[in-house]
Amino acid sequence: MADCLFCSIAAGTIPADVVLETDDVLAFNDINPAAPTHVLVIPKRHVDSAAGLGPDDAGLLAAMFSAAARVGEKCPGGWRLVTNVGPDAGQSVIHLHFHILGGRALGWPPG
Ligand code: 5GP
Ligand code: ZN
């Protein structure tokens, strides 16, 4: 999608610190990390958010969770997967992404 930051990262036209790539999914370090491990897992094709997913996206979701699990292996103490949907949740980039956070004790509930 034109003018989408994460589509541009997926296309390689904007650089990112990529930690994992598959046919359908890219994982890269967050530019403003909130934890020692803070990786974003995105689908290469544009989806606005988790609200845009449906039954036809089962394979894509499996690929995203599988990538998240590989990233989480860096955090033996545990890790958290978060996806923000919409303004109240603080979604600032309108392209589906999982935050993978770990490497320190994480508070609950989030703010
Ligand atoms: P959201 O607020 O939408 O849930 O998360 C967006 C995330 O994208 C934020 O954690 C923010 O730091 C990250 N981010 C924004 N712009 C860039 C960028 O250009 N490169 C990378 N690697 N991360 C970004
Ligand atoms: Zn996009």
Side-chain angles (χ1 to χ4, degrees), residues 1 4-8 43-48 94-96:
M1 177 178 275
C4 171
L5 173 62
F6 286 177
C7 280
S8 297
K44 288 184 175 177
R45 76 170 163 86
H46 186 89
V47 179
D48 275 358
I94 308 305
H95 180 125
L96 174 63

Side-chain angles (χ1 to χ4, degrees), residues 44-80:
K44 288 184 175 177
R45 76 170 163 86
H46 186 89
V47 179
D48 275 358
S49 75
L53 294 166
D56 291 346
D57 299 309
L60 178 62
L61 269 175
M64 290 183 69
F65 273 96
S66 178
R70 299 289 76 72
V71 170
E73 288 170 357
K74 290 190 292 190
C75 305
W79 47 281
R80 182 172 294 162

Side-chain angles (χ1 to χ4, degrees), residues 5-6 28-32 40 84 90-93 97 99:
L5 173 62
F6 286 177
F28 52 93
N29 286 315
D30 195 291
I31 204 167
N32 184 25
L40 302 175
N84 294 317
Q91 184 181 6
S92 60
V93 178
H97 49 284
H99 296 258

Side-chain angles (χ1 to χ4, degrees), residues 10 18 20-28 40-45 59-68 98:
V18 173
L20 185 155
E21 181 170 11
T22 71
D23 286 348
D24 299 321
V25 170
L26 195 69
F28 52 93
L40 302 175
V41 176
I42 68 166
K44 288 184 175 177
R45 76 170 163 86
L60 178 62
L61 269 175
M64 290 183 69
F65 273 96
S66 178
F98 290 166

